[in-house]
Amino acid sequence: MTRKESAKNIEIVDYSPVYKKAFKELNEEWIRKYFKMEAADHKSLDHPEKNIIDKGGYIKIALYNSEAVGVCALVPMENSGYDYELAKMAVSPKAQGLGIGWLLGQAVIEQAKKSGAKKIFLESNTVLTPAINLYKKMGFVKIEGFESPYERSNIQMEYLIEN
């Protein structure tokens, strides 16, 4: 099946509690593969409603043939100069290469625009080459001087929303 044919079977939906387990498992899968789970991970993954949604954030879910295979959060940031952090983006290995990361990224950027945001922040690690390349393709640029709560973070990026 080609990527274009696969795209017909991909749907991006808003988070609901039915996707809580998928949000946690998809993120734990990649974090444990490359790094270790940290306190900040447990906080948002164990309680996404309390720590993301209820604070004015959003979570988008990618469904492929009705199965949750990708997730991405838009977390409100206070006192940082940024409106939101693009965080907890994960795509199941079985669904990688279908453009799901791109679709999730576009969905959260569009959500940020609708919310009146001007700047989106993210942090990652340069060992995650496909993710860094995706962020650059989406329009994120590297920044410096931002202190991270994550041991694994070695790159920060920002996206400026045009009016």
Side-chain angles (χ1 to χ4, degrees):
M1 183 179 297
T2 67
R3 186 171 174 163
K4 191 172 183 177
E5 290 169 334
S6 298
K8 294 176 186 173
N9 299 323
I10 299 168
E11 182 183 8
I12 306 297
V13 300
D14 291 328
Y15 176 88
S16 71
V18 72
Y19 300 118
K20 182 177 180 177
K21 183 178 177 191
F23 181 66
K24 181 176 181 174
E25 289 177 352
L26 288 165
N27 273 288
E28 281 188 344
E29 184 177 25
W30 77 262
I31 293 168
R32 291 185 191 284
K33 179 177 179 179
Y34 295 99
F35 309 104
K36 67 177 183 178
M37 292 288 289
E38 299 181 39
D41 294 315
H42 290 291
K43 183 178 174 184
S44 58
L45 296 176
D46 291 343
H47 306 285
E49 292 94 348
K50 177 183 170 190
N51 293 306
I52 299 172
I53 304 294
D54 294 349
K55 292 183 176 181
Y58 304 90
I59 299 173
K60 300 293 183 181
I61 310 296
L63 302 176
Y64 180 63
N65 294 328
S66 302
E67 178 187 353
V69 295
V71 295
C72 187
L74 201 56
V75 182
M77 294 184 73
E78 297 175 8
N79 308 318
S80 67
Y82 292 94
D83 299 295
Y84 292 102
E85 176 184 5
L86 185 155
K88 301 299 181 243
M89 181 185 272
V91 176
S92 171
K94 66 183 175 186
Q96 290 175 358
L98 300 177
I100 290 171
W102 172 262
L103 294 172
L104 283 166
Q106 294 308 302
V108 295
I109 288 172
E110 194 56 39
Q111 183 68 62
K113 287 179 183 177
K114 287 181 189 173
S115 302
K118 301 290 181 219
K119 291 170 77 176
I120 303 172
F121 171 83
L122 71 77
E123 53 190 329
S124 189
N125 188 294
T126 51
V127 73
L128 304 171
T129 306
I132 301 302
N133 290 338
L134 173 65
Y135 301 141
K136 288 178 182 176
K137 183 178 170 187
M138 289 169 48
F140 280 85
V141 295
K142 183 179 177 184
I143 59 169
E144 296 193 10
F146 201 91
E147 190 156 333
S148 174
Y150 294 99
E151 287 179 34
R152 67 177 171 261
S153 176
N154 71 356
I155 185 171
Q156 289 84 32
M157 302 176 87
E158 70 179 10
Y159 180 90
L160 304 178
I161 296 174
E162 298 175 13
N163 291 333

